[in-house]
Amino acid sequence: MSLADELLADFEELGDDGDDEAQDEQATAEENQMEMEMMMGGKLTIHQIAKLQSSGQLARILQEIEKYSGENRTDPVIGPVEQDPEYRLIVEANNLAAEIDNEVAIIHKYVIDEYSKRFPELQSLVVAPLEYIMTVKRLLNDLTVTKSELEDVLPPATIMVVSVTASTTQGKPLPADGVQCVEEACDMALELNEGKLTIYQYVEGRMSFIAPNITVLVGAPAAAKIMGVAGGLTALSKMPACNIMVLGAARRLLSGFSTTQVQPHTGILFYCEIVQGVPPDYRRKAARLVSAKCALAARVDSFHEASDGSMGLSFREDIEEKLAKLQEPAPPKQQKALPRPDDGVRKKRGGRRVRKMKERYATSDMRKQANRMSFGEINDDAYQEDMGVHTGNLGKGGTGRLRAPTTDKKTKVTMSKRLQREVHRQQQQGGRSSIRGAVSGTASSVAFTPLQGLEIVNPQAAETAAPSQSGKYFGGTGGFSRVKSGTS
């Protein structure tokens, strides 16, 4: 690049900066003029407040849209899509549609300020800006509402409420100039809305040609909006999914101009058809899925692949399948089948401790007899207070004596031989009494005999056994008691 070319480029930049400064100065002067008129008590017209319709941008874009709409374009896009003139028109038209929404909100505020003198209650009955403007256009000073006049604007229930409230309103009729200002504002808002619909219709028709996969995935309106906010298809393809999800998020609300509550961290994709079609609890999850697939679809469209939208359709089916899986109810709790009744006896823990516990809690013969019932017999109640409590077969048949529970010889705790000898020795040394041994407590040393009457006897005499005759000869202490001397 030569020195002359560099100088020319610098002069062009200076010229552009000068034009921008001139436009800023003009806008500042107009704002100052409006403030002065308001301070002087002058009344501003709708053309001084809303200037988008009178600007040449709206007329130029509508003319170019009409021009391209009549062409049936079939040649593919070659090179970067941002260089295509029709693509630049789509981005510019999409930005203009957002400006039209803001302009309609300003006009709606102006109409409320002017028409509240005639019908102040209408603002709370009809909230949507376009519906309010169209209702004011039909009513003006004549509040005798008929159903046929507003049936294409409001639902029947709202029409009935408006007609009843209009008959009892405290507003006063507007003067002729006031009616004219309100009517001009309504006409301007309706014309801007028609221009916005024309832009949307054109953008939706052309988005399938510029970005077919994104259009199939999120729809033409949402595709055009995210491309316009991102700055083009190439810039959108370079964005991560987390940034695409918040594109177009409203960071601040204009006081008095908005009637909807904006959720945080929700962009254009949050309000597309596929996300709004799921329950509210799953919409954030759906927005993350859509933004991830939208990033892939943008990269496919930027390289002009899958021009028939097949990749976008595949991404959409994948998202719908995941959302359907996400909304499925939890599987029911499975009932575990009972074990087979013919299962064998399982091994249980054994040992000395377990055997002693079984012996301690073993069922006695008395309990077994009490639990038994005879067939076809009426048992007597054991208690008068408790009906149905009986003793079973206890005391029926046999001797009627209560027997102690029998113990199993296998589980019976046995005494060692050493312990048996010790117990036997203690019994021999201490003697036999009513306390030790199994002697009854009625034993006495006085006995009755048929011959002598009373006789004193020794109860322990039986314990001391008489020495056997064999002890003399074969005992350890035995010997000869008498020695016969023999003759030599």
Side-chain angles (χ1 to χ4, degrees), residues 86-87 90-91 94 199-216 218-228 233 236 301 307:
E86 190 172 4
Y87 171 78
I90 290 173
V91 174
N94 187 53
I199 291 173
Y200 279 161
Q201 184 178 3
Y202 168 73
V203 169
E204 291 176 7
R206 294 299 184 181
M207 278 305 299
S208 59
F209 178 75
I210 300 297
N213 294 284
I214 301 179
T215 304
V216 172
V218 298
K225 289 178 182 178
I226 60 174
M227 286 178 58
L233 184 59
L236 182 64
D301 289 334
S307 58

Side-chain angles (χ1 to χ4, degrees), residues 94 137 192 262 281 301 310 364 383 442 461 485:
N94 187 53
K137 173 71 175 177
L192 289 174
V262 179
D281 296 338
D301 289 334
S310 59
S364 63
Y383 309 102
T442 59
S485 61

